[in-house]
Amino acid sequence: MLLESYTANLISATQWLLSEQNRDGSWGQTITDKVRWTANAVYSLHLLGLDSQSTPLRKAIYWLKLIPRNHPEWYLRIQPLMAVGLLNWLEKEQDIQRVRDLFETDTIGSLPVKVALALELLREGFDVPKLELTEKSVIATLRKEEGELYSFAGGTNVTTLYCSFLSKINCEKHQEIISCSLRWVLLRQIEKLDINAICWEESYGRTAYVVLNLLDLQYAINDREIFLSKSLAFFRPKPNGAMPKDVIPAHDSHSSTYITILFIRVYATIMQQDLRIYRKAFGELISDTKSTRLRSRYLFRAVWCWGFSLLAFVATGGVVYFVLGKDFVMSVAASVIAAMLPSLVVLMRKLYVFLFEDK
C-alpha cells in the first residue's frame, strides 16, 4: 500500500529533479548550493537505484570530484562518493585523511554537520578521531523540556540526529536521554487532518530529517506503516513534480530543488529498508523515463526554433524579392548562408552528441 500510494509522487519528483540538472552535472546556481545539493542528490538518486553510469549520475559524480580543495564544504562529497563505490578514489585523493584531520582539530564546521558526517563514517567502519569531544558537544546542547522530557537545542531534526549519534556510539550509556528526547520529538508532531498527514514544525526539510533519523532508530517508531504513510503524505508535489518551497527550512535553503531531493531521499531510504525488490526496477524506470523525456524535449525545441527561423527567413526573403528583385535576394542569401554555415555545423554536431552519444 505504501509503495502504490506514493509512486506517482516519487516518479514525477524525480523526473523534475533530473530535468533541473545543470549541463555541468550539478544542481543549483551558487557554488554553496551546488556542493550541498549535488552531494545530496547523488546520494539520494543512488539510494533510489539509479545506475552510477547513467548520464545524470555520471555527470554529477564527475562534478563532485572537481570540487576545489579549498572549498569550505568539500567534505560533503565523501558520503555520496563512498555510496557509489569510490572509496579508493577518496583515499587516493586523501579525502578520508583530510576529514580525520578536521575532526582531530575540531574545525569541521557546525555541530550538526560534524555529527552527520561522523555517523556516516562510523557506519562505513572508519575510526573517527576525538569522538568523545563530539559527544560532549552534543550533550552540551541538551535542554530540559516539559514533562521530564529533553531536546537538543530545541529542534526536532537536530534532536533526532543527536539521538541517532548517541545511540551509535554508546546506546546503553545514553538510553534515558535518547528515550526522553525521542518522546519529546514524537509529541511535537503535527497532525494535518485535511490530508491525513503528519509533519514537524510545518517544515518539509525538518520533517524529512526527522523521518530519516527515526528510520535510523527503527525501535522509536510504532505502527511503522501508518507513520511512514502519513509522513510521505505531507510531501505533495506541484503539477510539474517539484516540491513546494519551504517556509521554515531545515538548514538555510528554502528551495524547491532541495526539498525535492530530500523527499526522494526519504522515499529511497524507505525502499532500502522495506522494499528492496523494487530498487532496480525503479532505477531503470526513472532512468529510461528521464532519458526519453529530456532528449525528446530538447529535440522538439531545436526543431521548433530552427523551423521558426527558417519560416521567418523565407517570409523576409519573399518580401525583399518582390521589393528589391531577385539578384539582390540571391546575393544576400549567399552571404547569410556562408556566414551561418560554420555555426550550423557546430550546432548539429553538438545536437548529435547530446542525442546519441551522451550516455
Side-chain angles (χ1 to χ4, degrees), residues 88-129:
N88 289 339
W89 183 89
L90 290 168
E91 291 180 331
K92 181 181 178 182
E93 292 295 308
Q94 297 186 325
D95 278 25
I96 303 299
Q97 185 56 50
R98 288 171 64 208
V99 81
R100 282 177 173 152
D101 292 342
L102 290 179
F103 276 99
E104 192 72 43
T105 57
D106 196 26
T107 55
I108 202 166
S110 67
L111 184 57
V113 171
K114 182 180 180 180
V115 170
L117 188 53
L119 264 173
E120 185 58 32
L121 291 173
L122 288 170
R123 291 188 187 111
E124 294 296 325
F126 290 100
D127 293 326
V128 180

Side-chain angles (χ1 to χ4, degrees), residues 27-273:
W27 281 268
Q29 299 303 317
T30 68
I31 184 60
T32 299
D33 285 344
K34 282 186 174 184
V35 172
R36 294 176 181 178
W37 298 0
T38 305
N40 213 326
V42 168
Y43 186 73
S44 301
L45 293 171
H46 171 74
L47 282 181
L48 194 60
L50 199 63
D51 188 352
S52 61
Q53 294 304 310
S54 64
T55 298
L57 275 193
R58 178 169 51 81
K59 287 185 173 182
I61 291 168
Y62 181 74
W63 189 90
L64 288 176
K65 286 182 173 182
L66 296 179
I67 293 175
R69 284 180 171 267
N70 61 354
H71 189 279
E73 294 184 325
W74 62 268
Y75 48 79
L76 294 181
R77 72 182 180 181
I78 291 177
Q79 182 187 32
L81 294 186
M82 279 200 304
V84 299
L86 293 177
L87 176 58
N88 289 339
W89 183 89
L90 290 168
E91 291 180 331
K92 181 181 178 182
E93 292 295 308
Q94 297 186 325
D95 278 25
I96 303 299
Q97 185 56 50
R98 288 171 64 208
V99 81
R100 282 177 173 152
D101 292 342
L102 290 179
F103 276 99
E104 192 72 43
T105 57
D106 196 26
T107 55
I108 202 166
S110 67
L111 184 57
V113 171
K114 182 180 180 180
V115 170
L117 188 53
L119 264 173
E120 185 58 32
L121 291 173
L122 288 170
R123 291 188 187 111
E124 294 296 325
F126 290 100
D127 293 326
V128 180
K130 294 190 175 180
L131 270 179
E132 68 282 357
L133 180 61
T134 305
E135 180 182 4
K136 288 179 181 178
S137 299
V138 166
I139 295 298
T141 68
L142 192 65
R143 270 179 28 175
K144 186 71 178 298
E145 300 290 350
E146 69 282 355
E148 301 299 320
L149 302 180
Y150 297 99
S151 76
F152 290 98
T156 54
N157 57 317
V158 173
T159 297
T160 53
L161 173 64
Y162 292 176
C163 284
S164 182
F165 173 74
L166 294 177
S167 178
K168 183 71 174 178
I169 62 170
N170 198 330
C171 184
E172 186 175 347
K173 175 183 176 182
H174 299 294
Q175 186 57 56
E176 183 178 354
I177 290 175
I178 294 171
S179 177
C180 292
S181 298
L182 290 177
R183 283 167 55 201
W184 178 81
V185 169
L186 294 174
L187 286 173
R188 296 267 296 180
Q189 72 181 29
I190 300 172
E191 292 275 354
K192 310 289 286 186
L193 298 178
D194 55 329
I195 57 174
N196 193 29
I198 57 175
C199 67
W200 279 265
E201 302 180 50
E202 298 284 355
S203 167
Y204 294 108
R206 297 185 186 189
T207 298
Y209 281 116
V210 167
V211 174
L212 287 169
N213 293 325
L214 289 177
L215 284 170
D216 196 38
L217 296 161
Q218 295 190 38
Y219 60 85
I221 304 175
N222 295 322
D223 298 323
R224 180 183 177 83
E225 186 79 8
I226 295 175
F227 172 83
L228 295 177
S229 180
K230 286 187 175 183
S231 299
L232 288 174
F234 179 61
F235 295 87
R236 304 174 71 84
K238 296 184 286 188
N240 65 352
M243 292 295 164
K245 293 183 178 180
D246 218 347
V247 177
I248 307 174
H251 299 303
D252 58 356
S253 178
H254 300 259
S255 169
S256 289
T257 304
Y258 187 59
I259 301 307
T260 303
I261 292 170
L262 288 181
F263 167 71
I264 294 171
R265 182 169 177 175
V266 170
Y267 202 114
T269 302
I270 295 170
M271 288 177 61
Q272 283 281 316
Q273 293 189 1

Side-chain angles (χ1 to χ4, degrees), residues 304-322:
W304 187 90
C305 289
W306 278 98
F308 181 81
S309 300
L310 180 62
L311 181 62
F313 180 77
V314 171
T316 303
V319 173
V320 173
Y321 177 83
F322 286 107

